[in-house]
Amino acid sequence: MTDALKRLSEEGVAIWLDDLSRKRITSGNLAELIDQQHVVGVTTNPTIFQKAISSGDGYEQQLADLAARKVTVEEAIRMITTADVRDAADILRPVFDATEGQDGRVSIEVDPRLAHNTRATVAEAKQLAWLVDRPNTLIKIPATRAGLPAITETIGNGISVNVTLIFSLERYREVMDAYLGGLEKAREKGLDLSKIHSVASFFVSRVDTEIDKRIDELGTDEAKALRGKAAVANARLAYEAYEEVFSSDRWSALEKAGANKQRPLWASTGVKDKAYKDTLYVDELVAPNTVNTMPEATLVATEDHGEITGNTVAGTYEQARADLDALAKLGISYDEVVQLLEDEGVDKFEASWNDLLKSTEAELQRLAPSEG
């Protein structure tokens, strides 16, 4: 084992685990990862919960109780998922206190079926914050067109947010603008800005998956030379945008009022293509004040053979732009790819949520007490 995770932390990268299940909580595994693997946060999404609850491990008693109460399937899912998030938040509370609220965070997502409904997303964010009732929760809101004003409104209500499903640089700038707008609203209401936190989840591996597919279809040597370069280039240019926005006059005024920067979070950092090193999206995206949320396999791989050599983002912006420009010259449309990925991302989470509804409903029916 190396000290790669320790070095990563020392470089200013917060290590969050992209997974949560009741078994992970009750077995002591989450506490162990915090204690020994430098994990300082947890992210969840509808797919993660669908896998956890469908496995059935640790959920049977609560499902039986919910079946006895004859709750709706939607209410059952919310009771189960918020219980897991609440327990994980309690385990991470010492980290939250030690980092003055920056880390020790657990994220829970609004119902993905609301991704294109601003008002319902805001209402759901309030409800989730109330249900979990822990100061170290982040409410996940997707960066759809309808999600942007919902982010502003939710931050303006003093609720901390993890903005998810960001693929494009343009949309990322809109997300940062939505965050600053929310902080300005919160300031007008007299809220304590130092208590409001946010991360912006910029997705990585899916960009390579989609662009590499198009490169392979072209099949030329010129095209193949660009395989595996788009995702890192895209994320590095996102960090450049972050540096620019959070050194602006608009930001300075908010910072003076006690506001926290919205950290870039590298999401989807599990490598999908076996041709690439399994720690690619960790090694190549080391920069201060970022978060890398890793599936456990990536965490283990990084601990074992990650190459953490200092900041790997600084000084790379020119090359990153050149890589994306070279793809454009091949006829691969950046705008088309990132819009497709956003649409697919929402659809995938919605499909997982629907699967979760079906499997939970089946369990509630199976466990329902017989009448009499």
Side-chain angles (χ1 to χ4, degrees):
M1 291 293 174
T2 67
D3 277 335
L5 295 173
K6 181 171 182 280
R7 286 203 301 279
L8 192 60
S9 301
E10 288 167 352
E11 288 293 337
V13 180
I15 299 165
W16 290 8
L17 178 72
D18 193 26
D19 190 51
L20 186 63
S21 66
R22 189 148 304 172
K23 189 178 179 187
R24 202 182 274 289
I25 292 164
T26 57
S27 67
N29 172 263
L30 178 58
E32 194 176 285
L33 291 172
I34 295 162
D35 188 46
Q36 296 175 19
Q37 264 82 19
H38 304 275
V39 168
V40 293
V42 169
T43 46
T44 65
N45 61 46
T47 304
I48 285 168
F49 274 131
Q50 189 263 328
K51 283 179 186 162
I53 297 167
S54 299
S55 77
D57 213 346
Y59 295 100
E60 184 123 336
Q61 184 58 59
Q62 189 178 10
L63 279 162
D65 290 346
L66 291 164
R69 287 174 49 214
K70 297 184 178 175
V71 303
T72 65
V73 65
E74 273 95 351
E75 188 184 349
I77 287 169
R78 276 307 178 211
M79 291 298 102
I80 292 165
T81 56
T82 54
D84 280 358
V85 168
R86 193 179 306 113
D87 288 344
D90 288 344
I91 293 167
L92 278 155
R93 184 60 190 261
V95 177
F96 174 80
D97 292 338
T99 60
E100 297 183 338
Q102 176 154 273
D103 288 308
R105 296 272 174 180
V106 187
S107 299
I108 184 168
E109 189 139 352
V110 296
D111 184 332
R113 296 171 299 177
L114 308 177
H116 303 296
N117 184 327
T118 302
R119 192 171 168 197
T121 295
V122 174
E124 172 96 339
K126 285 184 193 167
Q127 170 74 354
L128 283 174
W130 177 83
L131 264 178
V132 177
D133 194 26
R134 294 294 183 272
N136 49 332
T137 313
L138 289 171
I139 307 303
K140 285 178 95 170
I141 297 176
T144 54
R145 181 64 51 207
L148 295 169
I151 292 157
T152 298
E153 197 65 34
T154 304
I155 292 288
N157 288 330
I159 296 169
S160 294
V161 172
N162 174 343
V163 183
T164 187
L165 290 175
I166 308 169
F167 295 94
S168 86
L169 295 166
E170 183 186 358
R171 183 55 55 85
Y172 178 44
R173 285 183 179 276
E174 291 171 338
V175 164
M176 290 187 283
D177 182 65
Y179 175 61
L180 297 185
L183 288 174
E184 285 158 354
K185 276 181 177 259
R187 184 178 57 187
E188 281 164 26
K189 291 178 187 173
L191 299 178
D192 181 354
L193 299 193
S194 71
K195 297 279 190 271
I196 304 170
H197 286 259
S198 184
V199 292
S201 295
F202 200 86
F203 278 54
V204 185
S205 67
R206 294 186 197 181
V207 174
D208 271 344
T209 301
E210 184 57 36
I211 286 182
D212 285 355
K213 190 166 78 180
R214 295 171 188 226
I215 285 172
D216 292 344
E217 282 167 9
L218 291 170
T220 64
D221 289 342
E222 185 190 8
K224 285 177 192 168
L226 290 165
R227 280 188 109 259
K229 292 193 173 174
V232 168
N234 198 36
R236 285 171 168 174
L237 292 175
Y239 193 80
E240 181 187 38
Y242 155 79
E243 288 183 310
E244 188 184 303
V245 169
F246 288 98
S247 59
S248 65
D249 291 344
R250 183 184 181 193
W251 166 248
S252 294
L254 289 162
E255 191 173 36
K256 285 192 183 87
N260 300 289
K261 289 178 180 176
Q262 181 187 54
R263 287 183 293 172
L265 178 151
W266 312 128
S268 185
T269 54
V271 172
K272 308 280 195 293
D273 190 327
K274 291 198 166 35
Y276 305 146
K277 190 183 173 198
D278 54 3
T279 60
L280 172 69
Y281 305 127
V282 179
D283 298 350
E284 299 298 325
L285 295 174
V286 179
N289 213 36
T290 57
V291 179
N292 195 312
T293 184
M294 308 179 200
E296 190 168 20
T298 305
L299 183 77
V300 170
T302 302
E303 181 181 42
D304 183 61
H305 52 262
E307 295 177 57
I308 310 305
T309 56
N311 188 328
T312 49
V313 174
T316 64
Y317 304 142
E318 202 174 312
Q319 183 60 53
R321 261 189 287 279
D323 287 342
L324 293 188
D325 287 347
L327 287 164
K329 287 188 183 113
L330 292 173
I332 294 171
S333 166
Y334 175 86
D335 291 342
E336 185 191 311
V337 166
V338 293
Q339 188 58 56
L340 173 73
L341 291 171
E342 181 188 304
D343 294 343
E344 278 184 355
V346 173
D347 289 347
K348 281 176 184 170
F349 281 169
E350 195 171 324
S352 293
W353 197 256
N354 288 330
D355 287 346
L356 181 53
L357 286 168
K358 281 181 207 150
S359 58
T360 304
E361 188 160 37
E363 281 297 285
L364 289 171
Q365 285 171 357
R366 183 178 71 81
L367 295 164
S370 53
E371 295 298 325

